[in-house]
Amino acid sequence: MEKKLVAIYGSPRRDGNTSELMDSFLDGAAHNDYAKDAQVERIIVSSQKITPCRGCRSCSKTGECIIDDDMQQIYPLLVDADFIAISTPIFFTTVSGYLKAMIDRCQRLWSLKYEHKKKIVQKKRYGILMACAGSGNPKIFDCARMVIRSFFDVLYVDYHTDFVYNKVDHKKDIEKKAGALDSLYDFGKSEELARLLREGK
Ligand SMILES: Cc1cc2nc3c(=O)[nH]c(=O)nc-3n(C[C@H](O)[C@H](O)[C@H](O)COP(=O)(O)O)c2cc1C
């Protein structure tokens, strides 16, 4: 069966640092003997119409979200994915607001899992995080890691690893960071990614 790789671009800068990391990962995956056959779905969150969660708790009653916007097309992509890659800049110590809005709308999936006790994902799957921050403080990624871990938990995704880079601020800074783009390309092309995709059932 064809594997599905979902790539979530969290930055509003289409050609910014974290988008370059994601593009490099996908380039590697396109040259991976196994992953090259996966269907790649790119979600550029800043190009989607995603209203923030209103906290109305309709999903607690019905398991559905009453807001009719692009999230209705994104939910099935998240549920069907065999691998989820997320890239985000650090904005005020956490993920971008665009990405956080998408994650908050997954309250519907939280509700299905913990209130409705419905296991909507049957397969085993993995995910990774890529992030850049202007600051040199390695702790600047702690909050984003927690947010993504909690998002992955709701989606039954194992947090495999992350690729985070400090002192990356202006566009193209990531290209000057020795080994950064190569690391993502290499991971995309690796047997490790093939194994993670194969393990997904
Ligand atoms: C609104 C905003 C908030 C930011 N907040 C932080 C921050 O709290 N800590 C930090 O280290 N960098 C911060 N930055 C810098 C970005 O993380 C950095 O420029 C990153 O490389 C942007 O990635 P991108 O090019 O993929 O958008 C902020 C930038 C913006 C625009």
Side-chain angles (χ1 to χ4, degrees), residues 11 13 16-19 89-93 132-135 140 168-169:
S11 175
R13 286 207 286 202
N17 297 307
T18 56
S19 299
I90 297 300
F91 281 0
F92 280 84
T93 73
C132 292
S135 136
I140 201 75
V168 174
D169 204 359

Side-chain angles (χ1 to χ4, degrees), residues 24 41 44-46 48 53-54 57 63 78 88 100 115-116 124 150 152 155 176 184 188:
S24 209
E41 292 284 355
I44 298 158
V45 286
S46 62
Q48 302 289 310
C53 175
R54 297 177 191 154
R57 303 295 170 125
L78 298 177
T88 183
K100 188 61 165 54
E115 296 181 313
H116 297 264
K124 178 157 182 62
S150 125
F152 280 172
L155 284 167
K176 294 177 235 149
L184 268 305

Side-chain angles (χ1 to χ4, degrees), residues 23-40:
D23 289 344
S24 209
F25 165 66
L26 293 178
D27 190 15
H31 291 87
N32 180 313
D33 285 344
Y34 184 76
K36 68 176 170 22
D37 295 325
Q39 181 186 324
V40 178

